[in-house]
């Protein structure tokens, strides 16, 4: 580029650069888009070029310095400063970036507009924005339809950026389905116990259900108990002889654990998909999930948390969950029920 | 012990063992407590001995097998099955355990009643119990007064136990106090910018405040801005000339971040104690905390989360926070305001 700053003008939320800029800004460096004789810059592009003294910006006949331009841009666009932080980070690290939906289209390393398609669709968020699941799902599938990856760029209060890749996940494991069983359990507060030694051993050994209380008795969690009821387990309450129906069991479970039905739906779907779900309490999630019998596989591959379809993520909590799953080499997955089907999205930290 | 089970009787919530048990159960193995000619066992002790066929339990003239005794014990004591799980885990791994407040007194390895004082006071919780901070603080200080450590034994839904040590922490660092400054910043939505190059550099370099937006400008978080206002920073809003007073700043900050005052109280106290607090967003907490200037120290030592004094911990969330801090070799600390002072408790996973 030449040393003389190009003349540009702020009009509404757009910065138009003088004739002659096409070559320098657009063809060589992929800033802006052609608009007739001019090049049109977004506010983030303009602020970036202004800081680097590549352009001079006039508004209402007066030149704006960086600070004035920045303050005006903040008043014109919500979260301008966040977009600027992310734009200049990406651009400063050699990525070509164009405005797009949700916020930016980012080209792969070595690629640029006109040569390659964009690889990432980037959404910029402050750590304080709550993020509703339905909105995130729409963006995940919009990106997938365009064969691009959705990336969340979350800016923290000190303006550091963390990038997260988000995608739909098909959960599939290798466990054969459990045949019908005949066994009995007692429901004690928030867990059930199978007292019979052989049945306890069988369920624990072949399906990795529950946890042995001692060498003879098996303790089941509420979701395990509910799932095994569907396979033939009869459950009673101490002092009563008649066995519990599912609605009764569910009512008791929901009193103890209000999210029971979310957890149960995810658990049953994971089991039906050949996966083994065990409690993820130590990781602060509902489940850790193995793709087969743990003794053959050792490490669980996923942490799964069951949420309502209308859940709104707190980004601070999301960050903690993803960071933790990353540190134990698992993928953080959220499970939700939509139109009676269980869906899954995986969220991973990424370097961009 | 002899092979013949000792005769015992269930009376109310106590199991009394026949005369002659003193030697076998109490003197040799530290089960129960002498009660006249008898030895008195807690329900957990009795269930443990019943499973090991050391005692036979009679209630109302009828012998109870393990299952019947377990079901009766569950009906007599809330969370009996949790207490049994923790008791038999500790006892099974060679610890001597006596009933106590909150739940168990546990002797150090190699120690036992009559030889050494108990080392740990153990509280048993289900992962589903919410844990109110004031209650936890009472137990922490009760344990400290007795020169013992408070341990939470949290039983998850599959009956695995995680142990957490909890103690009060005195937070103290090595940073000299910041002198009064003269600088100006603009508040833009949820962050403030200092435009002056020298002041930006000075604050960032000597106090590790904020994050450089570029080589010239410093971005401050809301708590940093508020803290520096107390040191002489004047803050204005774009388009206004009069500087913001603290009440105005606070009102704006609380709109963006409802927990602002909790965070601010902790931040200011940490700074006043010679520590450097930076955002902990990547770890899902309010702050990561260094005991001095990070360039000399490298790693932050603590993750600090500011909570209300009447906060009730979700144990699932607590577990996630502590697990994460453990994985990055930091101590998880909760900060709270009580009687206008900021207090801290640290929670760490422990092997017991």
């Amino acid at each position: 580029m030449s040393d003389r700053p190009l003349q540009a003008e702020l009009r509404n939320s757009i910065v138009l650069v003088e004739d002659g800029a096409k070559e320098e800004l657009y063809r060589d460096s992929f800033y802006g888009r052609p608009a007739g004789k001019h090049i049109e810059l977004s506010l983030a592009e303009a602020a970036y070029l202004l800081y680097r003294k590549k352009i001079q910006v006039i508004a209402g006949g007066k030149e704006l310095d960086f600070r004035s331009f920045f303050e005006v841009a903040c008043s014109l666009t919500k979260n301008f400063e966040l977009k600027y932080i992310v734009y200049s980070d990406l651009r400063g690290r050699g990525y070509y970036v164009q405005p797009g939906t949700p916020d930016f289209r980012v080209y792969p390393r070595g690629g640029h507009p006109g040569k390659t398609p964009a690889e990432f669709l980037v959404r910029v968020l402050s750590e304080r924005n709550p993020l509703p699941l339905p909105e995130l799902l729409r963006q995940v599938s919009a990106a997938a339809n365009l064969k691009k990856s959705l990336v969340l760029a979350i800016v923290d209060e000190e303006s550091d950026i963390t990038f997260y890749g988000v995608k739909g996940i098909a959960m599939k494991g290798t466990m054969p389905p459990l045949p019908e069983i005949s066994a009995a359990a007692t429901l004690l507060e928030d867990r059930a116990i199978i007292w019979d030694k052989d049945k306890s051993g069988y369920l624990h050994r072949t399906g990795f259900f529950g946890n042995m209380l001692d060498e003879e008795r098996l303790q089941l969690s509420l979701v395990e108990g509910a799932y095994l009821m569907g396979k033939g387990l009869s459950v009673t309450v101490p002092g009563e002889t008649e066995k519990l129906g599912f609605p009764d069991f569910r009512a008791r479970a929901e009193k103890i654990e209000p999210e029971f039905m979310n957890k149960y739906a995810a658990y049953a779907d994971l089991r039906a998909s050949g996966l083994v779900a065990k409690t993820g309490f130590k990781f602060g999630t509902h489940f850790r999930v193995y793709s087969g019998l743990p003794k053959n596989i050792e490490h669980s591959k996923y942490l799964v948390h069951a949420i309502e379809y209308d859940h709104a993520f707190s980004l601070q909590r999301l960050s903690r969950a993803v960071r933790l799953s990353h540190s134990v080499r698992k993928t953080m997955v959220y499970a939700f029920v939509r139109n009676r089907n269980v869906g899954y999205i995986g969220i991973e930290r990424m370097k961009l």
Side-chain angles (χ1 to χ4, degrees), chain A:
Chain A
M1 293 189 193
S2 73
D3 285 346
R4 184 188 67 83
L6 294 158
Q7 297 303 300
E9 194 178 346
L10 174 65
R11 288 203 208 143
N12 303 318
S13 292
I14 290 291
V15 175
L16 291 175
V17 196
E18 60 176 342
D19 196 15
K22 243 177 198 157
E23 191 109 336
E24 275 192 57
L25 290 186
Y26 179 68
R27 272 194 225 136
D28 295 352
S29 307
F30 311 105
Y31 291 103
R33 284 127 326 269
K37 295 193 303 174
H38 300 287
I39 288 295
E40 179 186 303
L41 299 174
S42 69
L43 294 173
E45 289 172 320
Y48 187 73
L49 291 168
L50 183 59
Y51 169 63
R52 293 163 61 108
K53 301 191 170 49
K54 300 298 179 194
I55 61 172
Q56 262 180 348
V57 181
I58 309 291
K62 235 185 74 187
E63 191 188 331
L64 298 176
D65 65 5
F66 181 80
R67 174 177 174 172
S68 312
F69 181 81
F70 204 92
E71 291 185 3
V72 169
C74 279
S75 71
L76 289 171
T77 318
K78 205 170 152 48
N79 289 333
F80 169 76
E81 76 278 21
L82 303 182
K83 285 171 195 161
Y84 176 72
I85 289 163
V86 173
Y87 179 85
S88 47
D89 172 75
L90 289 170
R91 197 67 218 205
R93 291 189 294 110
Y95 282 102
Y96 292 113
V97 180
Q98 285 282 330
T101 308
D103 289 304
F104 299 121
R105 284 179 295 126
V106 176
Y107 290 79
R109 287 247 175 245
H112 58 71
K115 180 184 171 194
T116 41
E119 184 176 359
F120 307 105
L121 297 184
V122 174
R123 170 153 187 212
V124 176
L125 287 159
S126 156
E127 63 163 297
R128 296 194 181 89
N129 300 138
L131 176 58
L133 175 65
E135 189 183 313
L136 183 62
L137 291 175
R138 272 195 301 279
Q139 290 170 346
V140 166
S141 63
N145 288 341
L146 297 167
K147 298 197 167 46
K148 303 195 191 312
S149 306
L150 181 68
V151 174
L152 305 179
I154 302 180
V155 184
D156 71 25
E157 58 180 343
E158 279 156 20
S159 307
D160 261 8
I161 309 164
T162 315
F163 295 99
Y164 296 93
V166 189
K167 58 173 193 285
I169 286 199
M171 298 291 278
K172 197 79 201 141
T174 59
M175 284 280 287
L178 182 76
E180 288 289 306
I181 54 162
S182 147
T186 309
L187 181 62
L188 298 170
E189 303 187 53
D190 67 352
R191 59 206 73 213
I193 297 186
I194 298 181
W195 306 92
D196 182 89
K197 185 177 173 177
D198 295 340
K199 308 215 154 145
S200 289
Y202 169 77
L203 285 169
H204 189 63
R205 216 169 41 243
T206 63
F208 201 37
F209 289 98
N211 197 28
M212 297 301 292
L213 175 63
D214 47 43
E215 280 118 69
E216 299 177 24
R217 291 131 192 138
L218 185 67
Q219 295 197 25
L220 300 172
S221 69
L222 293 173
V223 285
E224 289 174 326
Y227 179 75
L228 290 175
M229 281 174 82
K231 296 286 183 181
L233 180 74
S234 71
V235 176
T236 49
V237 177
E240 290 179 25
T241 48
E242 206 170 326
K243 61 183 194 172
L244 286 178
F246 188 82
D248 259 3
F249 186 95
R250 172 183 170 165
R252 283 166 188 267
E254 284 185 322
K255 223 187 264 176
I256 292 164
E257 187 168 52
E259 320 166 276
F260 173 74
M261 282 308 286
N262 283 340
K263 280 182 68 175
Y264 172 69
Y267 180 86
D269 188 73
L270 289 165
R271 278 279 179 188
S273 310
L275 293 143
V276 176
K278 300 294 287 180
T279 181
F281 175 72
K282 284 198 174 62
F283 307 104
T285 58
H286 289 142
F287 305 113
R288 65 188 198 278
V289 175
Y290 301 85
S291 52
L293 263 196
K295 61 180 168 191
N296 308 324
I297 288 174
E298 297 292 337
H299 287 296
S300 56
K301 217 170 141 183
Y302 304 104
L303 295 180
V304 174
H305 204 69
I307 55 180
E308 290 284 344
Y309 179 66
D310 63 2
H311 179 81
F313 292 102
S314 138
L315 295 184
Q316 197 170 61
R317 250 178 247 157
L318 180 82
S319 166
R320 186 182 278 177
V322 174
R323 171 92 192 203
L324 175 50
S325 58
H326 192 86
S327 79
V328 291
R329 294 194 192 80
K330 305 183 200 304
T331 302
M332 184 68 216
V333 174
Y334 290 90
F336 53 91
V337 179
R338 188 182 184 184
N339 305 330
R340 294 172 171 265
N341 289 314
V342 180
Y344 302 92
I345 51 165
I347 306 187
E348 294 192 283
R349 275 213 302 171
M350 60 183 289
K351 302 237 179 231
L352 187 74

